[in-house]
Amino acid sequence: MSMATQDRKLPFGRIEPNSAKYFASCTLGGIIGPTHTAVTPLDLVKCRRQVDPKIYTSNLSAWRSIMAKEGVRGVFFGWTPTFLGYSLQGAGKYGFYEYFKYLYGDRLFPNTNRTVVYLGASASAEFFADMMLCPMEAIKVRMQTTLPPFAHSLREGWGRITAKEGMAGLYKGLYPLWARQIPYTMTKFATFEETVSMLYKTIGKPKEQCSGLQQTGVSFLGGYIAGIFCAIVSHPADVMVSKLNADRKAGEGAMTAVSRIYSNIGFSGLWNGLPVRIVMLGTLTGFQWLIYDSFKVFCGLPTTGGH
């Protein structure tokens, strides 16, 4: 911790690393930042093009069409479940990651390769975070991929799904969500940690000797690079999640639905919408790490990675 941090008044007082207060602060930091909500226009078009590649000729034509029919509100359609779902997921993902990284790397397996620790900690964190995200993701995808919309609000979507399918309807996409998000998060965190270490080596001085602005700049760049890898690794599962939520028949098992959908779209169909998702996730992931690590600096904590 720098002398400047020591001298200023910390908002939550002194926080000991790897204490309950430390993990609670990281959990709070994971909630902050409307990154997914901000890219709702990209997400909306991506999901619709994944389900129906012929619906729009391009992203620009999609936004023009939506704006003409529904205005700005239509471009941000589905922002409420997006905001709530990814806030809950962010809390679980970042808070649990810090906890599992400490548990695996310092307590249980102290001599294990750090990359293995990052992979294990991020996979464990995302397993729990997706349970928090899944209901909101189910509502969001149905709202965004059906025309006319399945529901016009979070409340309406929740009511319609639970009335017809019970609470199980909110979790029918959990397995595909795990298939998408766990590899995504493993790639995101491990790539971020390794990229940040390489960036500090390129800078030529330890993280502790860099200013807070320099550290958060490294976090943003590391996050953007990690987001590009995440988009490629997780995209086929992302397409399948969209398809399952929009086109799963009543009473149809998950694997039966996956097999039927794949037979219709083929391997190439799993990559529909990839370019826009690379832009979306690179930007989103970069800002996620920027916001998260800026909050840690605000709390008097070191930024992530670079050790």
Side-chain angles (χ1 to χ4, degrees):
M1 189 181 301
S2 68
M3 290 299 296
T5 300
Q6 293 177 14
D7 292 340
R8 70 177 173 83
K9 185 177 180 180
L10 299 174
F12 305 117
R14 185 74 61 209
I15 300 175
E16 292 296 325
N18 302 318
S19 63
K21 192 174 182 180
Y22 173 82
F23 296 127
S25 299
C26 293
T27 300
L28 179 59
I31 298 174
I32 295 172
T35 49
H36 274 90
T37 309
V39 296
T40 296
L42 279 169
D43 192 35
L44 173 67
V45 173
K46 171 192 69 83
C47 287
R48 287 182 178 175
R49 295 185 75 181
Q50 285 174 342
V51 172
D52 182 5
K54 298 179 181 179
I55 189 171
Y56 305 119
T57 57
S58 68
N59 295 330
L60 287 177
S61 70
W63 291 321
R64 281 198 294 264
S65 174
I66 296 168
M67 281 284 291
K69 295 176 182 177
E70 307 167 59
V72 174
R73 182 179 180 182
V75 176
F76 281 87
F77 187 64
W79 76 267
T80 309
T82 298
F83 176 77
L84 182 57
Y86 282 94
S87 293
L88 292 171
Q89 187 217 28
K93 175 157 53 180
Y94 285 93
F96 280 127
Y97 175 70
E98 299 285 359
Y99 171 72
F100 284 118
K101 184 166 69 168
Y102 166 68
L103 179 65
Y104 297 158
D106 294 356
R107 298 295 298 275
L108 298 179
F109 314 107
N111 298 318
T112 302
N113 178 275
R114 297 304 296 179
T115 301
V116 174
V117 171
Y118 303 147
L119 291 170
S122 56
S124 299
E126 191 61 40
F127 178 85
F128 292 104
D130 285 346
M131 294 181 185
M132 303 161 72
L133 168 64
C134 193
M136 297 298 106
E137 182 75 356
I139 295 169
K140 175 190 81 74
V141 170
R142 291 200 197 188
M143 287 175 63
Q144 291 182 334
T145 58
T146 53
L147 293 172
F150 169 81
H152 291 86
S153 68
L154 169 59
R155 183 177 180 179
E156 183 185 356
W158 182 286
R160 293 192 65 178
I161 292 175
T162 54
K164 186 177 180 179
E165 307 170 51
M167 289 297 292
L170 296 171
Y171 285 93
K172 74 178 187 180
L174 181 58
Y175 293 161
L177 191 61
W178 275 333
R180 181 189 80 184
Q181 289 297 133
I182 290 178
Y184 166 88
T185 300
M186 292 171 71
T187 304
K188 172 180 176 177
F189 281 83
T191 304
F192 173 82
E193 296 266 11
E194 297 298 338
T195 301
V196 166
S197 294
M198 289 173 51
L199 290 172
Y200 281 116
K201 288 178 182 178
T202 302
I203 292 172
K205 59 182 179 179
K207 179 175 77 172
E208 291 74 19
Q209 294 180 16
C210 295
S211 68
L213 183 60
Q214 288 174 319
Q215 290 186 36
T216 52
V218 168
S219 294
F220 175 78
L221 181 57
Y224 200 100
I225 293 170
I228 294 172
F229 284 94
C230 290
I232 296 169
V233 168
S234 64
H235 193 72
D238 183 62
V239 171
M240 193 57 70
V241 167
S242 296
K243 285 285 193 180
L244 278 170
N245 278 295
D247 187 31
R248 186 169 171 182
K249 302 181 185 302
E252 188 176 39
M255 294 311 298
T256 301
V258 167
S259 178
R260 176 180 58 81
I261 292 169
Y262 182 79
S263 69
N264 291 332
I265 65 174
F267 181 76
S268 62
L270 294 174
W271 302 98
N272 288 333
L274 178 59
V276 68
R277 192 159 185 261
I278 287 176
V279 175
M280 184 183 83
L281 287 185
T283 305
L284 184 149
T285 306
F287 277 105
Q288 279 181 339
W289 281 110
L290 175 64
I291 294 168
Y292 177 64
D293 275 348
S294 294
F295 180 78
K296 290 177 77 174
V297 170
F298 173 72
C299 293
L301 300 172
T303 55
T304 310
H307 302 295

